[in-house]
Every structure is written in C-alpha cells, then in structure tokens.
Amino acid sequence: MNAPDKLPASPEPHVMSTYGRLPMALAYGRGCWLWDTEGRKYLDGLAGIAVNTLGHAHPKLVPALRDQIGKLIHSSNYYLVPLQEQLAARLCELSGLTNVFFCNSGLEANEAALKIARKYGHDRGVAEPAIIVMEKAFHGRSLATLSATGSRKVQAGFEPLVSGFVRVPLNDLEAVRQVAEHNKNVVAVLIEPIQGEGGINVSRLEYLRGLKEICERKEWLFISDEVQCGVGRTGKWFVYQHAGFLPDVVPIAKGLAGGVPVGACVIGGRAKGVFKPGNHGSTFGGNPLACAAALATLDIIEEERLMDNAVRTGDYIRTELTRQIGGLKGVRQIRGQGLMIGIELDYPCGELVQQALDRGMLINVTVDNVIRLLPPLVFRIEEAGLLLATLVPLVRQFLDRQGAPQAAAQSA
Ligand SMILES: Cc1ncc(COP(=O)(O)O)c(C=O)c1O
C-alpha cells in the first residue's frame, strides 16, 4: 500500500500544474491544528478554503463516516437513496426552501442553478435567457461557471465564453434597474452575497432586499451562491437569512459535509418544478457517504452551537484586527462577517502566505492584496488569540517593508 503521507523522493510532476502550490504536504489534523509530513504544526486559518467546518478528525464526524463506509459508500441514483431524502429534508428545513438536487462540488451546484435559470426562461418563452451576474464574483471553473465569474484571469484562454450573462457591479441597485429596463431576456440574478475569491466583499442587506424586490417584480429567479459563505460560517445557516427573505435557488458545497466532497442545489419559490426527470443528473451526486457526512456535520454545527461561535470568534478577530492594525497606513479595510474575514492592503501581499506558513499558520491571500481568513467553525477565542499573535506582527513587518511610514511608528 502507498504511504499516504510521504512525498515521493524526487517528485515527478505527473499531477498537472494547475495550482501554484506551497512546498509542504499536510499529513493529519486534530481540531484547528494540522501537522505536515515533516512533523511541523500549523494553526488552520483557512479550513481547506471554507471546507473543514468542524476542523480535523472531529470525534463525532469520524465515527459517523466510519459507520457509513462500513455499510455503503455509493449505490446509484437509479435507486432510492434514503440518506438523500433525509439530507434534503434537513436542508429544506434549514433553508426554508422545498427541494434539493445533489452533486459533488460548488461549480456543479452552480451549473445546476444556471441550467434551472435557462430552463425557467425557456418555459416562459424566453428563447435566449440571460442571467445578471456580479463583477468580482467567483462561481467555478466549468465553462458556464467561469463565464459567470467576474474575473478575466479565470476566463482568459477559455473563450468563447458561454453567452447569456450580463455583468453589473456589486451593491449597485441602479445598475440592476437599468438592465431590468432594457433587457427583456433576463430571467435570473446570480449573486454571492459575500464574495469569497473576489476579496470578501459583503453585500449590503438593503441591497440584497432591493435585488429581491426587483426579482419579485420582474419574476426573475434570485440565485444566492452560498458555496463559500453558507452553512453557518456567518452566524446563520445562509447569508440571505440575515436579509430576511427567501431566494429561489441556493447552490451550496464546501463546508456542508465537513470535508467530504458534496454539492447541493437547494430550490424553492419560482424554481420549483422547473427540472423534470431527465433534465439533470450526476453519478456520484448524493451518494450515501456524502449524505451521511453532511447530516452529521449539520447535527454537530447545531449541537455545538458553532454558528454562535462563528459570530463570537469572528467578531473578536475583526475587532482586534481593527484595533491593532486598522489604523495603519497601508491597511485599506478590515471586513467580513462571522468567520469569513478579509484584510485589504494597499499592496500585493501574496508573500504573507509563505511567511505565515513559516510561523506555523495557514492563511490565504486572494485578489493579490486581500488576506483571507476562513478558519473552521470550531475556532475558539483561544485559537483566535494565537492567530492574531502571529498575523498582526506579520502584517506590521510587511507594511514596514513597503515603506508605509505610520506603520513603523504605530508598531513601536
Ligand atoms: C462562491 C463560490 N462558488 C463556487 C465555487 C466553486 O466551487 P468548487 O471549487 O467546489 O467547484 C467556489 C469555490 O471557491 C466559490 O467560492
């Protein structure tokens, strides 16, 4: 059997180099901590990009997975899958929506959403349905989802893009009103209520409500891509719940099954009944292992009151960051909600990822100049304190090196 946690002595690049990887491999984890193959220990400020909701090797998730693996990993969507029914019922209860399509990833959940939007349009006699999408949004890397994504970097080289997307700036209701007035083909709006890859850009609640109002008036679908921000990370199961309305379609994935690949497109309202038998499918989607993992993850989030913890710990981190570095020259903004936090700097700061790693901490930098923190929801104040004790000096030293003069003065 291959040793799972050893790198080959001279690694041949047989894995396609689609990622810029750090020269380190993780071997195992416990709670908010990870160890690499050399035995070095790291505090997890990233949770596998918002995936490891419960941290690592959670003592209730591990036996739940073991139990399911011993029974059935995969059956087939040719048969009834009772765990799918259970998970769908749970997701509907938590979301306020009515039905679920299961898949395996975020882009697949969005792909289902986009197909629902187009089908919804066709069912209403719109031959070329269009979907409003946001600047700086990220929805995935399939051809349709990268076309919906608001990043030239993601799209470049993959043209021709899938057509039928109209792009507007986030938090600009007037731009949506203009499109509503002039484009009769629009059938849906797709929005990440908090943009993750785009730099932790938070939609204002009045904006979301205004958008929903336009959707109601125009009979458009409201699609809330909660792949990164959903499943408890902001203190509610879903971000739209902060705004107090129901969308029609909610693609989710990442944190739903505590690290086991899963995706779900949760629907209700106008999206109900749009997909008919034969319209969509996925071999692995909703397999018993993923469903058992998701059910256990949701139970544990509830039992351990991890959404409250996300608010408490997230507020603490943001407050402390604001107090300790918020006034420094070179720090543009500290923002986010719950355990989804961004620190925007005036300078490209990708080097901080390796520097944090060298100091035993996993963080991320997105859009070149935004430090992104997405710790597991089990991250407590104690771990937050450790994170701040490493991150704050790192940011100060970085700003000093950029020659931001007040930074040096204030760090004294
Ligand atoms: C908001 C959002 N949507 C969709 C995706 C795509 O998810 P996946 O990488 O699982 O395909 C991501 C991934 O980062 C995301 O953040």
Side-chain angles (χ1 to χ4, degrees), residues 49 105-108 110 138-140 192 197 225 227-228 253-254:
I49 324 178
S105 66
L107 84 78
E108 288 175 68
N110 279 328
F138 183 84
H139 299 295
E192 285 172 85
E197 305 302 303
D225 176 350
V227 166
Q228 189 164 146
K254 285 189 184 282

Side-chain angles (χ1 to χ4, degrees), residues 34 66 70 77 84 121 135-136 182 191 208 228-229 254 298 333 376:
L34 285 153
R66 271 207 194 104
N77 284 313
Q84 264 183 36
E135 288 173 7
K136 299 185 186 171
H182 297 111
I191 179 173
L208 290 176
Q228 189 164 146
C229 60
K254 285 189 184 282
L298 296 173
Q333 201 182 27

Side-chain angles (χ1 to χ4, degrees), residues 28-31 33 52 54-63 258:
Y28 63 96
R30 290 284 177 281
W33 296 91
N52 301 102
L54 308 175
H56 305 275
H58 190 285
K60 289 182 194 153
L61 181 64
V62 172

Side-chain angles (χ1 to χ4, degrees), residues 86-108:
Q86 276 182 46
L87 178 57
R90 187 94 165 91
L91 288 173
C92 290
E93 173 206 338
L94 301 179
S95 65
L97 301 180
T98 55
N99 301 90
V100 184
F101 173 82
F102 288 110
C103 48
N104 314 285
S105 66
L107 84 78
E108 288 175 68

Side-chain angles (χ1 to χ4, degrees), residues 109 195 246 267 274 287 392:
Q195 294 181 336
L246 290 178
I267 66 106
V274 171
N287 66 74
V392 165

